Amino acid sequence: MKYSAAIFDMDGLLLDTEQVCMTAFKQTCIEMNIPFKQDVYLSIIGRNQAGIKPIIEQGYGNLLDYNVFHPRWMQRYLAVVEHQAIPVKQGVIALLDWLQTQKIPMVVATSTHKTLAQKKLHLAGLSTYFSHITCGDEVTQGKPNPEIYLLAAQRLHIEPNQCIAFEDSNNGVKAAVAANMATLQIIDLVEPDTETRALGHTIFNTMDDALTFLQAHQ
């Protein structure tokens, strides 16, 4: 496997934030007497804020007013992630350290807003691994569109097909594959569906498995 740079998603891949976000969503549903629709929630994982809104509105219909629901949801979520370090996912530090020894430049491509993404990485102690981050508020079209990955590669001055992408969500995988990057999916909350598996990328249950694979194919 030939690659000159590594591009990482953040939430659910580097940081164990997806459970925090889903819990905040569930609690907001309870507060507003709205049913929690797990299928709708799981389908928004990996998307930026603009991509989340129409999916929730379509999935919930007149059961909720998004402009009321979203601020309450985010208030609960931000009360956690802005003030405490989110646990780093198992195997992440070992992989990042190994890539450093291989002198592979590393960056982040996350659907999260830039200010919040920087804070999350800093609190978790991961900031120093990455030369820059590309975020959801810096692109017109979020994942599964490849724009964010193409912009990250452009900032590295490296062709997309020379990059390896790490993702957990199906939306993120679709974006990375569409950008013509070698893509590794490490499963978090969402199992790859049939459409995603058909993309032909490599799928692992843990980041430790991904590291073992890369070491065997360097």
Side-chain angles (χ1 to χ4, degrees):
M1 178 175 283
K2 302 291 185 182
Y3 51 92
S4 301
I7 305 180
F8 290 84
D9 176 50
M10 182 181 68
D11 293 304
L13 180 88
L14 298 175
L15 304 177
D16 197 11
T17 42
E18 295 297 358
Q19 287 287 355
V20 177
C21 195
M22 185 167 70
T23 297
F25 190 99
K26 285 181 178 179
Q27 290 171 340
T28 307
C29 287
I30 292 169
E31 175 195 347
M32 299 181 66
N33 198 28
I34 297 167
F36 172 64
K37 296 188 176 185
Q38 182 168 298
D39 58 332
V40 176
Y41 182 83
L42 294 179
S43 69
I44 69 174
I45 292 177
R47 294 180 181 268
N48 65 6
Q49 192 170 131
I52 288 171
K53 184 173 188 279
I55 293 174
I56 291 179
E57 288 184 327
Q58 181 178 357
Y60 276 85
N62 60 8
L63 290 175
L64 65 74
D65 180 342
Y66 185 83
N67 293 325
V68 175
F69 181 88
H70 185 263
R72 295 187 185 183
W73 171 30
M74 285 298 102
Q75 184 179 22
R76 290 178 184 276
Y77 176 63
L78 295 175
V80 177
V81 301
E82 286 192 333
H83 302 288
Q84 63 188 64
I86 300 300
V88 177
K89 297 274 287 187
Q90 171 66 35
V92 165
I93 298 297
L95 174 62
L96 298 179
D97 285 343
W98 182 76
L99 288 169
Q100 275 192 334
T101 67
Q102 303 301 302
K103 303 191 185 308
I104 300 295
M106 293 176 281
V107 300
V108 169
T110 174
S111 296
T112 298
H113 189 281
K114 191 153 201 164
T115 302
L116 181 56
Q118 290 171 326
K119 183 171 289 188
K120 286 179 179 179
L121 291 170
H122 173 72
L123 287 172
L126 297 182
S127 298
T128 57
Y129 286 100
F130 304 106
S131 59
H132 65 259
I133 61 176
T134 301
C135 297
D137 56 317
E138 297 183 293
V139 295
T140 303
Q141 301 182 78
K143 300 173 185 179
N145 187 282
E147 182 182 358
I148 194 167
Y149 274 106
L150 295 174
L151 179 58
Q154 179 183 332
R155 288 173 170 175
L156 282 164
H157 305 291
I158 294 174
E159 290 298 316
N161 63 5
Q162 294 298 308
C163 298
I164 184 170
F166 295 82
E167 273 285 356
D168 65 290
S169 72
N170 294 333
N171 288 317
V173 165
K174 291 172 184 175
V177 171
N180 199 26
M181 295 183 180
T183 305
L184 306 187
Q185 183 174 17
I186 294 83
I187 299 171
D188 185 40
L189 290 184
V190 183
E191 286 284 336
D193 55 24
T194 302
E195 179 185 0
T196 305
R197 288 184 182 276
L199 297 174
H201 62 295
T202 307
I203 302 170
F204 300 103
N205 289 315
T206 70
M207 194 69 88
D208 292 320
D209 294 337
L211 175 56
T212 299
F213 171 83
L214 292 174
Q215 289 171 330
H217 291 82
Q218 62 177 316

